[in-house]
Amino acid sequence: MKIVKVQDIIGTEREVSDKQWTSRRLLLKKDGMGFSFHETIIKAGSEHTFWYKHHLEAVYCVAGNGRIKDLATGEVHEITDGTLYALDNHDRHTLYGGTEDMRLICAFNPPVTGQEVHDEDGAYLPDSGDN
């Protein structure tokens, strides 16, 4: 059994951030669960384009608000507390922070190692097999 408290991750290598977002990686590939699990804070008013070409992601909003735009169709969906979106087709998308910071709970498959950085397309590179 694993017990992880987000307050124990803050300020460690499992917390990654810039001025527009913070990602706290509660479970990573090395934890052996077959997926990674994150708490992500998207700052109000920010804009992010992502395209997880090598990962599937499910995201559940537990606080705040924003929008997501599917860049293939142009559809825009509101995100509020209680909304889940699943990027089940490696969907290229833009995430917009709303009037409040969004607190999102995210699962990635395959799991991330925690060392990834977004490339020019907003994607993580495929897993190299290393933890």
Side-chain angles (χ1 to χ4, degrees):
M1 178 182 297
K2 297 180 184 311
I3 305 296
V4 180
K5 295 183 179 183
V6 74
Q7 64 264 30
D8 295 337
I9 290 173
I10 295 171
T12 72
E13 70 281 351
R14 286 189 179 226
E15 181 181 53
V16 179
S17 64
D18 71 11
K19 293 179 182 179
Q20 301 298 319
W21 57 268
T22 299
S23 177
R24 298 175 179 134
R25 284 82 187 268
L26 288 92
L27 294 173
L28 293 169
K29 180 181 177 183
K30 67 183 173 184
D31 294 307
M33 295 294 295
F35 60 91
S36 57
F37 197 75
H38 314 231
E39 175 188 72
T40 300
I41 309 298
I42 299 293
K43 296 292 185 183
S46 64
E47 181 177 325
H48 316 267
T49 298
F50 300 118
W51 185 16
Y52 295 119
K53 297 181 272 188
H54 311 289
H55 296 82
L56 297 175
E57 183 187 25
V59 179
Y60 183 65
C61 179
V62 296
N65 61 67
R67 295 175 292 127
I68 187 169
K69 181 178 184 177
D70 181 330
L71 295 179
T73 66
E75 290 179 286
V76 177
H77 304 275
E78 295 296 318
I79 301 171
T80 57
D81 181 10
T83 303
L84 178 134
Y85 64 88
L87 303 170
D88 58 341
N89 289 307
H90 305 281
D91 309 275
R92 189 164 181 260
H93 62 286
T94 299
L95 190 59
Y96 302 94
T99 59
E100 307 170 11
D101 291 354
M102 272 192 296
R103 182 171 167 242
L104 306 171
I105 305 303
C106 315
F108 278 89
N109 184 16
V112 301
T113 65
Q115 302 303 309
E116 294 83 0
V117 293
H118 292 102
D119 69 10
E120 64 278 355
D121 287 330
Y124 290 145
L125 294 177
D127 186 7
S128 67
D130 299 331
N131 282 332

